[in-house]
Amino acid sequence: MSAPPKNDTAPKPANFLRTLIEREVQDGVYAQRHWGGTPGDGAHHAAGPADPAQVRLRFPPEPNGYLHIGHAKSICLNFGLARDFGGVCHLRFDDTNPEAEEQEYVDAIVEMVQWLGWSWDVGGTSHLYYASNYFDFMYRAAEHLIEAGLAYVDEQSADQMRANRGDFITPGTNSPWRERSVADNLARFREMRDGQHADGSMVLRAKIDMASPNINLRDPALYRIKRAHHHNTGDKWCIYPMYAYAHPIEDALENITHSICTLEFEDQRPWYDWLLNKLADGGLLNRPLPKQHEFGRLNLSYVVTSKRKLRALVDEHIVEGWDDPRMPTLAGLRRRGYTPAAVRKMAEDTGASKTNAWIDYGVLEGAVRGDLEAQAPRAMAVIDPVPLKLGNWAELFGAAHREPCSAPAHPQHPELGQRQFSLGPEVWIERDDFAETPPKGFFRLFPGNKVRLKYGMVVECTGCEKDADGRVVAVLANVVPDTKSGTPGADAVKVKGTITWVGVHDGVAATINLYDRLFTEAQPDAGGRDFREVLNPSSKRVVQGYVEPALAALPADVRFQFERHGYFVTDRIDHRAEAPVFNRITGLRDSWAK
Ligand code: ATP
Ligand code: MG
């Protein structure tokens, strides 16, 4: 596993969580905690040494789908804060719901958190945990709440319970089962556990306040009966904890200090504190208890991040799979060619705030351009090829002559050396680098004009060849003698245009996937709109182009800047050394900016 990304020293954008943790660490708020070496109850931790981690955070995905760019924000926030404050970040699978959770997703999540560069291995200890391993404690904690008079078994139907919950203006109504005895509650709860009652026939609820202005405190459900096979615990349980009950306990057992979640959980915070304090009062947990902090979720323009909508894109074959390079899943971004560093930078640059902000997609593109500009080797590629025939080549040099040319692999990295290719009597150029009748300000090929073939020679356009439909099938030009780049005569002829090209004799044919945004609207699902109505019809175009000979026999997953075109990567899945496939990561500049 790779080392966690280094914390650079550049000033960090506004992030209230960073400020808060900094102050708490200074004040020693969490300094007295002990750590039992593994997750466990209060006694387990008390028996261990002082917690070597200053703070503990966690990324707690439910393994019911693929990670997307919003999750990356949360991953980088939690792992980044742990790194910066001498802490540890746990990867915890929140797998308390027996349905919908699958090993396939567990594996994919592990792979993508590692891809982003983060590690949960600290000093030889793996902090990868499964919430389902805490079912025994959760059960014990529930019995404790019953014994303390803080929970009861409710036999109302789901409809009755809903009707009696009240709403924002109406207080709730107490359940007729609310005042049954501790002994009765304990007996019923054990019967629930032992499979003596039907699914959905009763639930365990906390006993707090049915008139609370916070609906989450109106006797929330803790356990339900559900005969379902669990991927980790098998058929051991037929009762499962509710998410709201399980999550605070998971945090406490793992000695988490800062439980960071998105804003929609703000109203759950009083419940989170209520539950953990009751369990600490009962001696099951130690103080200081974890605290929940909410931040605004990441919304990226031109992207949908709801798992349900992403699933629809896959199931309806609007895209070609979870890792389709147009998908905002991390698997999709990786295949598209985004670098982990770019995703981390986007997460860092967008800080953390108390509002759900929309971030422009250009921020992510800018991050990948910034990363690749500095490191991606350069190459020439022709994406919409038309041949350029050099009429006087044979006369000047002999038909078989090939003029060797070279260019730096990267203009700022001379140590990367030169790439070699050659000029011959026929080269591929971009179709739109020729105009029979040039529009105003057009400096490239048109009859009578001179341009430089980059790193090669100056040519003068003489016309073109067309097919019966009037479509240009070849552009014609003559070489201007003694104008080779890097020779004394190179500057003797002044030209206004320079074009990129690839030799017909040595160019490598390649499939090039030109990806663009999946949606034409910045907020595809705004105002309840069906995102299917605003699909970008040209989000994927596949073309046959040519690349420099140096790009023959490449491995998968290598990135280049194709001069004038943007950044490209060899596809992780479809690329073959003998049949290259490139994906466009992004253009050289933001073509969507207004
Ligand atoms: P979705 O809404 O896409 O189904 P989720 O929140 O249900 O996502 P989880 O697996 O529960 O998916 O999420 C794991 C963590 O990722 C949670 O802590 C959640 O707050 C965080 N997270 C999910 N989406 C975003 C987002 N857009 N911005 C920031 N954090 C997010
Ligand atoms: Mg969720």
Side-chain angles (χ1 to χ4, degrees):
M1 199 174 296
S2 55
K6 285 207 187 53
N7 180 11
D8 60 44
T9 49
K12 302 267 188 290
N15 181 332
F16 72 96
L17 291 165
R18 180 173 296 283
T19 315
L20 170 98
I21 296 177
E22 194 159 45
R23 197 182 54 233
E24 287 181 341
V25 167
Q26 258 168 28
D27 295 350
V29 174
Y30 294 101
Q32 304 304 318
R33 295 169 316 119
H34 285 244
W35 166 247
T38 51
D41 64 9
H44 171 76
H45 287 306
D51 192 339
Q54 298 275 327
V55 290
R56 283 185 192 266
L57 299 98
R58 84 286 175 268
F59 173 64
E62 185 179 354
N64 64 351
Y66 286 85
L67 296 180
H68 55 62
I69 186 76
H71 294 120
K73 171 80 198 182
S74 174
I75 292 167
C76 294
L77 187 64
N78 283 293
F79 278 90
L81 288 168
R83 171 199 61 195
D84 294 351
F85 291 102
V88 171
C89 184
H90 301 182
L91 175 61
R92 178 204 309 149
F93 287 104
D94 208 329
D95 60 350
T96 54
N97 177 4
E99 298 138 331
E101 292 165 359
E102 284 175 31
Q103 188 62 37
E104 174 195 350
Y105 300 129
V106 169
D107 297 340
I109 290 169
V110 162
E111 187 181 351
M112 294 325 297
V113 179
Q114 288 178 337
W115 176 72
L116 277 176
W118 304 107
S119 169
W120 45 87
D121 272 354
V122 181
T125 305
S126 166
H127 295 285
L128 187 156
Y129 300 116
Y130 290 87
S132 56
N133 286 337
Y134 312 146
F135 281 164
D136 286 328
F137 179 89
M138 289 174 190
Y139 180 82
R140 186 179 132 215
E143 286 209 349
H144 169 80
L145 293 175
I146 293 172
E147 282 163 354
L150 297 169
Y152 63 99
V153 173
D154 194 344
E155 298 180 35
Q156 294 182 98
S157 68
D159 286 344
Q160 283 169 326
M161 248 185 274
R162 204 171 301 118
N164 288 340
R165 191 174 298 127
D167 55 30
F168 283 109
I169 39 177
T170 326
T173 312
N174 284 353
S175 162
W177 304 98
R178 201 170 192 264
E179 300 305 332
R180 65 204 304 176
S181 70
V182 166
D184 192 17
N185 277 316
L186 212 46
R188 280 289 166 280
F189 186 49
R190 289 177 180 169
E191 288 167 14
M192 282 171 62
R193 177 198 59 190
D194 296 340
Q196 296 178 28
H197 298 284
D199 284 14
S201 59
M202 47 185 75
V203 295
L204 183 72
R205 298 179 77 174
K207 191 170 174 180
I208 311 179
D209 179 7
M210 287 304 292
S212 172
N214 184 332
I215 293 178
N216 298 296
L217 294 179
R218 293 184 189 171
D219 294 5
L222 309 182
Y223 265 95
R224 60 190 171 134
I225 308 173
K226 181 96 227 169
R227 284 170 179 78
H229 186 83
H230 188 279
H231 77 106
N232 181 23
T233 56
D235 296 317
K236 177 177 176 191
W237 297 94
C238 67
I239 55 170
Y240 288 96
M242 306 299 289
Y243 174 84
Y245 174 68
H247 200 89
I249 292 179
E250 295 159 23
D251 286 342
L253 295 179
E254 291 181 20
N255 237 17
I256 298 302
T257 53
H258 299 80
S259 175
I260 298 174
C261 61
T262 43
L263 282 179
E264 65 271 22
F265 291 98
E266 193 166 7
D267 291 345
Q268 291 276 6
R269 190 170 1 115
W271 154 253
Y272 185 103
D273 292 337
W274 183 95
L275 174 63
L276 294 187
N277 274 294
K278 296 300 182 198
L279 297 179
D281 291 347
L284 278 72
L285 300 173
N286 302 332
R287 294 193 164 88
L289 293 163
K291 285 251 177 283
Q292 177 181 303
H293 304 276
E294 310 86 23
F295 76 106
R297 61 194 296 127
L298 174 80
N299 294 306
L300 205 56
S301 65
Y302 298 98
V303 157
V304 295
T305 50
S306 127
K307 272 182 210 153
R308 186 174 55 78
K309 290 171 186 168
L310 294 177
R311 189 177 298 281
L313 289 169
V314 174
D315 289 349
E316 295 169 27
H317 303 288
I318 294 167
V319 297
E320 292 162 34
W322 286 100
D323 67 347
D324 185 297
R326 293 164 292 179
M327 287 284 271
T329 53
L330 296 184
L333 290 170
R334 175 176 66 172
R335 189 160 175 199
R336 175 74 169 264
Y338 278 90
T339 58
V343 178
R344 290 196 303 264
K345 180 155 192 337
M346 186 278 308
E348 180 100 314
D349 285 356
T350 50
S353 75
K354 276 286 189 186
T355 51
N356 288 323
W358 277 87
I359 303 296
D360 192 277
Y361 193 81
V363 173
L364 183 58
E365 288 182 317
V368 78
R369 280 188 204 106
D371 188 25
L372 294 181
E373 161 62 24
Q375 52 161 347
R378 302 329 198 223
M380 288 197 288
V382 176
I383 285 174
D384 183 11
V386 68
L388 170 71
K389 296 180 177 171
L390 302 175
N392 61 347
W393 184 273
E395 182 188 323
L396 284 179
F397 309 114
H401 178 72
R402 301 289 175 264
E403 180 67 25
C405 302
S406 72
H410 190 293
Q412 276 91 52
H413 293 293
E415 74 280 5
L416 294 180
Q418 297 282 113
R419 42 192 234 258
Q420 312 293 337
F421 44 94
S422 62
L423 191 56
E426 208 168 310
V427 300
W428 298 110
I429 61 167
E430 295 295 339
R431 180 168 286 280
D432 67 3
D433 278 342
F434 170 74
E436 215 176 353
T437 320
K440 198 161 177 285
F442 185 88
F443 297 122
R444 289 164 284 159
L445 290 166
F446 56 88
N449 196 39
K450 294 190 187 76
V451 302
R452 173 168 295 284
L453 297 178
K454 199 167 185 189
Y455 314 115
M457 301 174 184
V458 173
V459 300
E460 177 170 356
C461 184
T462 55
C464 64
E465 291 170 2
K466 294 184 191 173
D467 64 13
D469 299 330
R471 183 177 157 87
V472 174
V473 292
V475 179
L476 306 174
N478 283 322
V479 171
V480 180
D482 302 323
T483 53
K484 169 103 186 276
S485 295
T487 64
D491 292 331
V493 180
K494 294 282 176 230
V495 293
K496 281 190 174 168
T498 299
I499 65 173
T500 44
W501 55 278
V502 169
V504 168
H505 59 280
D506 67 359
V508 176
T511 299
I512 303 177
N513 296 316
L514 298 174
Y515 290 113
D516 203 344
R517 296 173 188 190
L518 198 47
F519 300 101
T520 54
E521 289 288 332
Q523 299 187 13
D525 42 10
R529 172 175 49 210
D530 185 344
F531 58 88
R532 295 169 189 83
E533 289 167 17
V534 290
L535 288 167
N536 177 5
S538 42
S539 62
K540 178 180 184 180
R541 275 195 302 132
V542 183
V543 298
Q544 298 299 320
Y546 294 92
V547 299
E548 277 181 30
L551 274 53
L554 288 174
D557 220 10
V558 288
R559 298 172 181 84
F560 287 90
Q561 184 197 99
F562 288 166
E563 300 189 32
R564 297 169 73 207
H565 288 302
Y567 295 97
F568 292 73
V569 66
T570 48
D571 189 80
R572 308 182 76 243
I573 310 290
D574 296 336
H575 174 79
R576 299 285 173 274
E578 65 285 2
V581 178
F582 288 91
N583 297 332
R584 178 165 65 195
I585 308 169
T586 182
L588 288 178
R589 61 193 74 77
D590 188 355
S591 56
W592 287 67
K594 300 258 154 55

